[in-house]
Amino acid sequence: MIYIYNRITDPYFNLASEEYILKEFKDDCFMLWRNEPSIIVGKNQNTLAEINLDYVKEHNIPVVRRLSGGGAVFHDLGNVNFTFIVNDDLNGFSDFRRFTQPIIDVLKKLSINAEFSGRNDITIDGKKISGNAQYYYKNRILHHGTLLVSSNMIDLSAALKVRPVKFEDKGVKSVSKRVTNINEHLKEPIDVEEFISLIMNDIREHTGGSGLYEFTDEDIRNIEKLKNEKYSTWEWSFGMSPDYNLKNEKKFLGGTLEVDLNVENGIIKDMKIYGDFFGKKDVKDIEEILKGVKHSESGVREALSSVDINEYFANISLENLIDVLF
């Protein structure tokens, strides 16, 4: 087994590194890594339906889609991520206990009574400290999980708290659960680096491993390429969302503005604008302009860059319109 402590904290790079190891390495691998504050959404989720977009924009939080299914999670430097990538057949795909038990065993050495719970969680006294997910590729299983050591619970809650917007889609929804930090269950808090060393040493001891593998310059170039071409793109993290319908309504100085839009593959396919606002021109013009446009703030801004919004919505700004479109 190859052992990696990846000290890079760029979430785009780190998600790309998992795919690179999965597809380009031949050996089994165990990796520990952390991300700067970020939101990681499951492969089958509608990204906009999982995040508090206002909070994400205000705090410049990266949002990245991962290869595996499951729900959205918040990462920060107080959270440790672990990844097992092993050669196996599909029969072992649903065996989450196989990969979580070594982590539970480490926690028991800290006198923490952690246990596997439900479909894919590790809990302490019924509170979640770890969510896990898996992905299968050509007889290789990628299993990864989170470990909340000293995460900022306020950020975690706020970043994933969706605004009161109604999404109708087939995307997998995250389930809200009570969470807790590992440090809250220790007599004395453990430093994150110390915790990482404890896990790595224990895993290596039980799997017969020796030294740590360092990414080569070639590895880093290839991971950066995958990051730039896939993981850091709007097309992957937002455009890959399942088709959905968004309905939203807000009241502004110029009146109430309501939108109803259908989005397919991240593109606005159809939309209607309603409300008690006043305008010189017919809003059908705006509806037609936005058809075929990416359902992203930058896409909408670019499409409407030459339009005088006040001609269509008296006392309602472009910012107001964008606010109701997301």
Side-chain angles (χ1 to χ4, degrees), residues 69-88:
V73 290
F74 176 80
H75 288 182
D76 65 9
L77 295 178
N79 171 73
V80 176
N81 301 291
F82 66 94
T83 303
F84 285 98
I85 297 175
V86 299
N87 295 300
D88 205 336

Side-chain angles (χ1 to χ4, degrees), residues 118-284:
R119 182 184 61 165
N120 61 338
D121 296 335
I122 300 174
T123 60
I124 301 173
D125 298 332
K127 294 183 179 181
K128 180 176 175 179
I129 59 161
S130 172
N132 293 260
Q134 293 185 168
Y135 178 77
Y136 186 78
Y137 175 82
K138 292 185 177 180
N139 294 320
R140 279 169 73 78
I141 294 175
L142 183 156
H143 176 109
H144 49 194
T146 57
L147 285 165
L148 298 172
V149 180
S150 56
S151 283
N152 185 323
M153 292 299 177
I154 295 176
D155 284 346
L156 185 153
S157 176
L160 296 175
K161 183 179 179 181
V162 185
R163 295 185 338 178
V165 174
K166 184 178 182 181
F167 282 93
E168 296 176 356
D169 60 36
K170 296 181 180 179
V172 176
K173 300 296 188 295
S174 295
V175 179
S176 177
K177 296 182 179 179
R178 292 191 303 164
V179 296
T180 186
N181 276 314
I182 290 168
N183 268 345
E184 294 179 22
H185 302 269
L186 295 173
K187 292 181 179 179
E188 293 185 6
I190 190 170
D191 178 76
V192 174
E193 289 286 348
E194 182 183 352
F195 183 71
I196 289 171
S197 295
L198 183 67
I199 296 175
M200 183 62 78
N201 291 338
D202 198 82
I203 297 295
R204 286 163 60 190
E205 178 183 342
H206 284 86
T207 53
S210 54
L212 297 180
Y213 178 85
E214 297 284 344
F215 285 135
T216 66
D217 291 342
E218 182 180 4
D219 290 335
I220 292 175
R221 283 194 300 270
N222 290 331
I223 295 171
E224 285 285 353
K225 184 174 186 292
L226 186 57
K227 162 193 164 179
N228 293 332
E229 293 179 354
K230 181 175 182 177
Y231 285 91
S232 63
T233 66
W234 176 90
E235 285 76 11
W236 171 250
S237 292
F238 289 86
M240 284 286 291
S241 294
D243 299 344
Y244 56 91
N245 172 256
L246 180 148
K247 295 181 180 180
N248 196 17
E249 179 180 356
K250 287 208 166 189
K251 187 173 183 179
F252 303 106
L253 180 63
T256 299
L257 189 59
E258 180 182 352
V259 298
D260 185 347
L261 59 142
N262 294 310
V263 180
E264 298 178 10
N265 297 319
I267 304 298
I268 299 172
K269 291 298 181 182
D270 190 31
M271 71 174 297
K272 298 295 291 184
I273 300 174
Y274 310 94
D276 62 1
F277 54 85
F278 297 100
K280 297 178 184 178
K281 296 184 178 180
D282 196 326
V283 294
K284 288 183 178 180

